[in-house]
Amino acid sequence: MKSSLRQLMGITLLSCLGVLPLFGFAHANPTIDSLIKKRKSLPNIIFIMADDLGYGDIGFNGQQKIKTPHIDQLAQEGMVMTQHYAGSSVCAPSRASLMTGVNVAHAHVRELSAWTASGKAIDLAAEDVTVAQELKRVGYSTGIIGKWGLEEGAGTGNVLDHGFDYFYGYKTHTEAHHYYPEYIWKNREKLQLPDNESASKKGEYSNDAFTREALAFIQKNSKKPFFLYLPYTIPHNELTVPDESKAPYENLGWPKKPMDVSGHYHHDPEGNTTYAGMISRLDSYIGQLMQELKTQGIDDNTLVIFTSDNGPGSDKGIFNSTGGLRGRKLTLYEGGIREPFAARWPNKIKPGSTSDQPAAFWDLLPTLCDIAGIKPSVKTDGISYLPTLLNQVKNQKKHDLLYWEINESQGPIQAIRLGDWKGINAYQKPFELYNLKVDPKESKNLALSNPGVVAKIKQMMISYRTENPEFPLTKRTPNYGNDGSNPETIKSK
C-alpha cells in the first residue's frame, strides 16, 4: 500500500513538473525510473522555417546559382520529401496550420489579418492547441525564435499563452518586414534596440540575432528534451543583407534587378545579388546550428527539419525559385505551396533517402506527438509521417485529400489534391484539373475530359469546408493597418 502511494505521489509530482500528463499515461503502473528514462530518451526537435523560400531555391532541389552547402548536407544526411506542402501560400494561415495541425478548411486563421470580413485583427484563438502545448505534456522545453505572426492584436495570440516557454522575435507580420528593427519582443517585453535603424539599415541584422539566440537556447537546454521552432524571415521582402553575404555573387554577369528603395521596404539597390546573399546567409546559420549540436554532444539525439512557409515572392526567373513548378506565393499552383523539405535524425532517418509521400504542414503536430509517444489531445486534420521518416512505408497512412484556399487580391481560390488529381477553382475562371503524377508543372488542364473527377472535387470543396464568418469565400478588399501598422506604407505582404 505504501509503495503504491509513493508511486502515485511520484507520478503526480512528475505531472506537476510537466514530465507527463496526470491522467492518460501509457502504462497503468510505470515506475518513476522508467518514466524519467523515457523522458531522457526523447529526441530534441528543431524546426527551421524560411520565409518565402521557393522549392527550387535550395541546392538539393536543383538550385544552380545560390550556394546552400549546409542545408544540402542536412538533406544528404537525412531525407528529402519531394511532395511536402505548406498550409497556405501566404504567411499567417500557413503558420497557424503548422502550429495547430488544422488546415484552412477548418482553421480559425485562414488569411492574413488584413483580409478579415469584419476588418478586425485576428490572432490564433485561445482554444487553439499548438504543437508546443502537446510536447510540454511530456516535459519538453519549448522556444520560438523568429517570426511568430499569429498575434496581430486580437488579444488571444500571445505566444507564451500557446505553449512556448521562451520567445524572441516579431509578434506581427508587419514588424517582420524589416531586418534592422528598432525594437524586438522577448517573451512579453518589448525590447528597444537603440543601435538599430531600419531605414538606414544600421545595427544588428535581425536574423543574425535570431541565430545567436537559438545557439543560446540550445546551450541552455542541452541536458533535457527541447523543441525549438526557428522561423527565420529570410528571404522575405525587404531584400537586404550585409555586404559580405553579397560579395560571392558580385561580378558574375547576372542581370541587374533595380529595387525601389523609397517605399515601405528598405531594399538594397540591386535585388538579385541580395536575394542570393540572403539565402546563403541563412545557410550559414544552419551550419552554425548543426555545429552547436555536435559541440553539445546532442547531435545524435536531435531531429532537425528544414522547410519554407510558402512559395517565392521575389524571384522573377533568374534563379528558377520554383524549380520549374507553376505559380508562386499567393497562388495555389504547386509553386505557391510545394516547399523544400529535409529532415535529419541520425540513426533513425536513413541518409540520402527520398520520399514522394504527400505531406503538409498540418501533419507536423501529429508527427511530433507520435515521436513523443502521445496522441494529439485535440482533433486535427493531420497524419503522422513518422513511418515515412523511419522508412516504415507499409505503416504510413495516407490522406483522403489535401485542401487549401486563399482569398486575397486574386481570390477567392480553392484547391484540393485527391490522389494524383489536383483541382483548382479560382474566382471567375474556368475550373482547372491536373494530374500531378504526369504533369507536376500543371501545364495541361484536363477538366473538360474528366467531368466526373471535376464534379467530385467541386462537391468536396463545399462539403469538406466549414464556414468561418471572418473568411467567407467572397470577394473582399484588405484592411491594412488592423495590426497597428500604418496602412499607407504597406504595399504587399
Side-chain angles (χ1 to χ4, degrees):
M1 177 67 180
K2 290 182 179 179
S3 175
S4 297
L5 180 60
R6 283 197 302 269
Q7 190 177 58
L8 178 59
M9 291 174 65
I11 291 169
T12 303
L13 175 61
L14 286 171
S15 301
C16 294
L17 293 174
V19 175
L20 76 164
L22 180 56
F23 302 104
F25 42 86
H27 303 285
N29 294 297
T31 65
I32 302 305
D33 287 344
S34 68
L35 292 169
I36 294 173
K37 183 178 180 181
K38 178 181 178 181
R39 183 182 184 226
K40 287 183 177 179
S41 69
L42 291 171
N44 307 304
I45 302 165
I46 301 178
F47 191 94
I48 304 167
M49 186 164 71
D51 195 340
D52 289 7
L53 185 78
Y55 183 85
D57 275 329
I58 300 299
F60 70 75
N61 275 346
Q63 177 56 230
Q64 298 294 310
K65 291 183 171 66
I66 305 171
K67 305 306 179 185
T68 56
H70 299 293
I71 299 173
D72 296 342
Q73 182 178 352
L74 188 155
Q76 290 163 6
E77 295 176 355
M79 172 179 284
V80 171
M81 296 185 74
T82 62
Q83 299 190 58
H84 180 263
Y85 290 97
S88 179
S89 61
V90 75
C91 290
S94 197
R95 293 161 193 266
S97 177
L98 179 76
M99 286 289 99
T100 64
V102 179
N103 65 33
V104 289
H106 309 124
H108 179 69
V109 177
R110 304 191 187 188
E111 259 301 340
L112 287 175
S113 200
W115 293 87
T116 59
S118 68
K120 297 178 181 178
I122 194 161
D123 293 354
L124 209 61
E127 62 271 19
D128 282 335
V129 175
T130 69
V131 63
Q133 287 167 287
E134 299 286 29
L135 291 177
K136 283 187 70 65
R137 292 164 48 200
V138 287
Y140 274 83
S141 297
T142 57
I144 168 177
I145 297 167
K147 175 179 172 180
W148 174 234
L150 295 172
E151 183 183 3
E152 297 284 283
T156 60
N158 189 280
V159 63
L160 298 185
D161 296 332
H162 287 280
F164 285 96
D165 301 319
Y166 181 74
F167 170 52
Y168 183 92
Y170 304 111
K171 292 198 302 186
T172 73
H173 291 277
T174 305
E175 289 173 336
H177 285 180
H178 301 301
Y179 284 85
Y180 296 88
E182 292 161 20
Y183 68 88
I184 205 79
W185 293 94
K186 183 175 183 178
N187 295 325
R188 299 183 193 272
E189 181 183 1
K190 186 177 184 180
L191 292 180
Q192 298 297 325
L193 302 175
D195 294 333
N196 277 23
E197 188 174 301
S198 290
S200 60
K201 291 173 279 191
K202 294 179 179 178
E204 185 177 28
Y205 194 67
S206 62
N207 286 237
D208 288 0
F210 296 158
T211 304
R212 170 172 47 78
E213 288 287 323
L215 294 172
F217 182 89
I218 292 169
Q219 294 160 7
K220 181 179 179 181
N221 293 281
S222 63
K223 304 302 182 184
K224 52 191 174 182
F226 65 80
F227 169 58
L228 175 58
Y229 173 38
L230 194 47
Y232 285 105
T233 58
I234 289 175
H236 191 291
N237 279 341
E238 59 198 8
L239 295 189
T240 185
V241 73
D243 288 343
E244 66 266 21
S245 292
K246 289 181 283 190
Y249 300 107
E250 302 282 0
N251 305 314
L252 296 180
W254 291 356
K256 301 296 183 181
K257 182 181 180 181
M259 302 298 294
D260 178 5
V261 300
S262 63
H264 168 69
Y265 294 112
H266 308 307
H267 297 298
D268 289 355
E270 201 287 306
N272 285 333
T273 55
T274 302
Y275 186 77
M278 291 174 80
I279 294 173
S280 285
R281 198 173 189 91
L282 172 65
D283 180 77
S284 75
Y285 301 149
I286 278 69
Q288 294 176 57
L289 293 166
M290 301 307 293
Q291 181 57 51
E292 188 61 37
L293 295 177
K294 292 181 172 66
T295 299
Q296 297 299 323
I298 56 176
D299 176 65
D300 283 349
N301 194 39
T302 302
L303 167 63
V304 180
I305 295 175
F306 175 85
T307 191
S308 176
D309 68 334
N310 50 248
S314 295
D315 178 38
K316 296 297 195 297
I318 178 177
F319 300 115
N320 191 25
S321 287
T322 66
L325 299 174
R326 182 179 179 181
R328 59 204 307 266
K329 181 179 179 179
L330 299 176
T331 77
L332 295 184
Y333 296 113
E334 294 291 285
I337 54 177
R338 192 185 291 204
E339 306 308 321
F341 179 99
R344 177 187 183 272
W345 188 5
N347 304 312
K348 296 291 193 299
I349 296 176
K350 181 181 178 181
S353 55
T354 302
S355 173
D356 61 1
Q357 167 71 24
F361 269 20
W362 52 95
D363 293 329
L364 180 70
L365 187 148
T367 299
L368 298 192
C369 283
D370 202 2
I371 289 170
I374 56 177
K375 293 185 180 299
S377 63
V378 292
K379 186 179 183 299
T380 75
D381 295 314
I383 291 174
S384 170
Y385 51 75
L386 180 59
T388 292
L389 295 179
L390 300 182
N391 197 28
Q392 299 171 356
V393 293
K394 291 182 179 179
N395 298 326
Q396 180 62 62
K397 296 180 180 178
K398 299 183 185 299
H399 282 284
D400 294 331
L401 60 87
L402 298 172
Y403 177 94
W404 302 268
E405 67 180 53
I406 190 165
N407 196 359
E408 295 203 9
S409 57
Q410 298 180 33
I413 309 171
Q414 291 175 282
I416 279 181
R417 176 166 178 173
L418 185 67
D420 292 327
W421 292 110
K422 181 178 171 191
I424 300 175
N425 193 20
Y427 181 73
Q428 293 185 341
K429 292 183 178 179
F431 193 90
E432 298 170 67
L433 181 69
Y434 303 99
N435 186 322
L436 296 179
K437 185 174 183 178
V438 298
D439 183 23
K441 296 182 180 180
E442 297 166 298
S443 62
K444 186 175 182 181
N445 186 355
L446 302 175
L448 293 179
S449 58
N450 293 273
V453 178
V454 169
K456 184 175 183 178
I457 292 178
K458 281 185 174 181
Q459 179 57 39
M460 285 179 167
M461 288 177 172
I462 297 170
S463 62
Y464 181 71
R465 185 182 189 271
T466 58
E467 289 298 323
N468 182 321
E470 286 288 16
F471 301 107
L473 291 176
T474 56
K475 202 67 179 171
R476 295 197 299 277
T477 55
N479 297 281
Y480 291 125
N482 63 4
D483 64 350
S485 61
N486 181 355
E488 298 302 317
T489 66
I490 303 175
K491 296 181 179 179
S492 63
K493 279 56 67 184

